[in-house]
Amino acid sequence: MEARRAVEGDMRTKARQYGYREVCTPEFEELELFTLRSGEGIVNEMYAFQDKGGRWVSLRPEMTAAVLRLYVNEARVWPKPIRWFYFGDCFRYERPQKGRYRQFWQFGAELIGADTAAADAEVILLAHDLLSSTGIQFDLQVGHLALMRHILSPLPDESRRQVRALLDKRDMAGLRRFLSEGDYGLMEDQLTALSKAHTLEDIFAVTGDIPENERLIELCSLLDAAGIDYTLNPAISRGLDYYTGVVFEAFAEGLGAENQILGGGAYRLAHLFGGDDTPSCGFAIGFDRVMVALGDREPSSARRVVVASTPAGRLFATEVARLLRRAGVVTEMDVTGRSLSAQMAHASKTAAFAVIIGQEEAQKRSITIKDLSRGTQQTLPLDEAVRELFSGTR
Ligand code: HAM
């Protein structure tokens, strides 16, 4: 938990630096909140149940819908755009495996009320900075659904729905089969070419001149100006029914099949909850996957102090421990009554410094400080010791 809290803290700091403020929503909701946009099919993937009053409710599978409902209920007259972030647990009825859990945590952000390349860029930069703040290696991929939609536009509605379902499942073999059987060979070639295009030039060579090209050019120039590393991937097909423009995903190394650590894009949800049609853009980071990518860490004993004392030094030791804690030093004191040498043995396993207090120290109101990694020790008057040695550990 210490490692998780540290990463979470860094993310909060970073999100605040971008002007985003934290919001919180309930852990369970009326089922309809999620089926309104995503349809009944989503229920299979959720912890949905009837409560004692016969109401259909669900543990939240994600937080965007609730954040947008919060916007409609509480903040729709606020000055826009609204910048919000959140950190919370979500629940999905999945088969658990490494990196895929039934309860997992998301750190997400939503920018509500702006529909420009600058808004898309800000959200992508924030996503990039949050992931960078953790120290993991990742690949950030950026696309725009207009490209794929343009290629699929000649399809009749029903076929388009089927193609979207196949794309959502990333079933590329199924997609190829569907297109060749339906005599859409050209479309298949275009999709293949699109999946291999990673520069604007190559992408536009496949899609031709479409209105969204300008937006994509501007977005890329903003991301390039910020100097972040990203890959253009026009084949990203996440949530074709859900997202409306830019989409982006990030992947970490060494996670196996569940290597997607972030997903997001531009969408419109506010009108479903009674608000005006409002453009939004956001993302969520799979926090647990980030922690798996970071690997296990031993809890650090740096900056921890153990106050070890003899029975004669005990009362003064209590006073010293209080003083150190007040000065911001993490201070442990013996509560077992064991010998000074046993206390020191314990300290060497759990702390960076030991403060040793015997009869002499108690009489002189001084303390002996032992640096447990170097093995050096010195005796100093109490005030000076606190000031000199521990002011930096706060
Ligand atoms: P999502 O792609 O469904 O998007 O989830 C975001 C991230 O949550 C995934 O990239 C993944 O890292 C993590 N995740 C999903 N399911 C699990 C699981 N079972 N176990 C562990 N991690 C998981 C959304 O949820 C959208 N609400 C993102 C968004 C915000 N779009 C706009 N604003």
Side-chain angles (χ1 to χ4, degrees):
M1 281 313 292
E2 275 180 22
R4 289 177 71 99
R5 291 286 186 238
V7 174
E8 183 192 322
D10 290 344
M11 287 189 179
R12 281 199 163 89
T13 304
K14 186 52 70 193
R16 288 193 189 111
Q17 283 169 358
Y18 272 76
Y20 286 65
R21 309 181 91 155
E22 187 162 3
V23 291
C24 173
T25 67
E27 294 207 330
F28 73 93
E29 298 275 3
E30 281 180 23
L31 182 58
E32 202 193 34
L33 181 75
F34 306 107
T35 52
L36 263 181
R37 185 73 191 92
S38 307
E40 293 295 326
I42 190 108
V43 178
N44 294 332
E45 294 156 33
M46 297 192 332
Y47 273 92
F49 53 93
Q50 266 182 308
D51 72 2
K52 288 181 184 170
R55 285 170 290 254
W56 276 100
V57 292
S58 175
L59 298 178
R60 61 186 178 198
E62 57 100 48
M63 293 176 69
T64 308
V67 168
L68 266 289
R69 192 232 5 239
L70 175 67
Y71 158 72
V72 170
N73 287 348
E74 309 290 340
R76 70 170 126 174
V77 296
W78 289 15
K80 281 189 253 316
I82 287 171
R83 294 180 166 91
W84 278 343
F85 78 89
Y86 49 85
F87 180 67
D89 50 351
C90 300
F91 304 81
R92 293 186 191 179
Y93 198 78
E94 320 221 46
R95 192 137 46 87
Q97 60 189 80
K98 182 185 172 195
R100 179 191 287 257
Y101 312 106
R102 289 183 165 173
Q103 181 186 19
F104 62 98
W105 270 254
Q106 283 192 343
F107 193 106
E110 312 294 344
L111 175 60
I112 304 167
D115 185 10
T116 58
D120 297 341
E122 174 176 302
V123 174
I124 294 172
L125 288 177
L126 173 59
H128 179 274
D129 279 5
L130 288 174
L131 290 179
S132 297
S133 75
T134 69
I136 59 168
Q137 298 295 318
F138 62 92
D139 176 24
L140 177 64
Q141 304 193 357
V142 178
H144 197 296
L145 289 185
L147 305 165
M148 184 84 81
R149 286 211 176 102
H150 176 70
I151 292 178
L152 299 178
S153 60
L155 284 174
D157 282 357
E158 181 47 37
S159 305
R160 204 175 316 137
R161 253 193 299 279
Q162 279 170 282
V163 166
R164 283 181 179 193
L166 290 166
L167 283 169
D168 261 352
K169 279 191 266 168
R170 292 171 202 259
D171 181 0
M172 294 307 156
L175 178 67
R176 262 191 293 277
R177 211 174 317 119
F178 181 86
L179 292 177
S180 58
E181 279 166 14
D183 210 9
Y184 291 111
L186 177 64
M187 202 174 285
E188 191 189 335
D189 293 346
Q190 282 181 310
L191 285 176
T192 308
L194 194 63
S195 68
K196 290 186 184 144
H198 295 298
T199 63
L200 288 173
E201 219 181 2
D202 291 350
I203 293 169
F204 299 154
V206 181
T207 58
D209 204 11
I210 60 171
E212 288 81 2
N213 288 0
E214 284 305 311
R215 175 87 167 240
L216 200 53
I217 292 169
E218 195 185 343
L219 172 63
C220 290
S221 64
L222 288 167
L223 296 180
D224 293 341
I228 64 161
D229 235 356
Y230 67 97
T231 316
L232 265 180
N233 181 0
I236 297 180
S237 56
R238 60 179 287 110
L240 274 165
D241 287 329
Y242 183 96
Y243 293 103
T244 52
V246 66
V247 278
F248 51 98
E249 298 178 331
F251 300 88
E253 285 162 21
L255 288 185
E258 302 305 324
N259 63 346
Q260 194 187 305
I261 49 167
L262 174 143
Y267 61 94
R268 285 166 186 267
L269 277 183
H271 60 288
L272 293 178
F273 310 129
D276 296 334
D277 186 21
T278 311
S280 322
C281 188
F283 62 84
I285 292 173
F287 191 80
D288 308 87
R289 292 186 186 173
V290 169
M291 294 311 296
V292 174
L294 278 171
D296 286 343
R297 293 186 193 170
E298 286 296 314
S300 163
S301 53
R303 303 181 167 206
R304 295 178 78 90
V305 172
V306 163
V307 177
S309 63
T310 63
R314 182 122 191 114
L315 291 182
F316 180 51
T318 307
E319 192 185 327
V320 170
R322 282 184 66 75
L323 224 122
L324 292 176
R325 288 175 188 141
R326 221 175 292 150
V329 182
V330 178
T331 310
E332 249 184 70
M333 224 183 125
D334 178 57
V335 289
T336 63
R338 56 190 155 196
S339 70
L340 186 64
S341 62
Q343 290 177 50
M344 290 301 290
H346 173 70
S348 67
K349 288 181 218 138
T350 58
F353 295 94
V355 164
I356 307 161
I357 300 176
Q359 190 170 18
E360 200 182 324
E361 281 88 357
Q363 272 162 3
K364 292 187 182 152
R365 293 186 66 76
S366 61
I367 60 179
T368 297
I369 297 156
K370 182 164 184 180
D371 182 326
L372 292 164
S373 55
R374 294 203 193 117
T376 53
Q377 72 178 51
Q378 54 178 331
T379 304
L380 292 170
L382 180 55
D383 298 349
E384 199 181 318
V386 174
R387 229 182 10 254
E388 291 293 316
L389 272 167
F390 300 122
S391 57
T393 65
R394 228 178 286 187

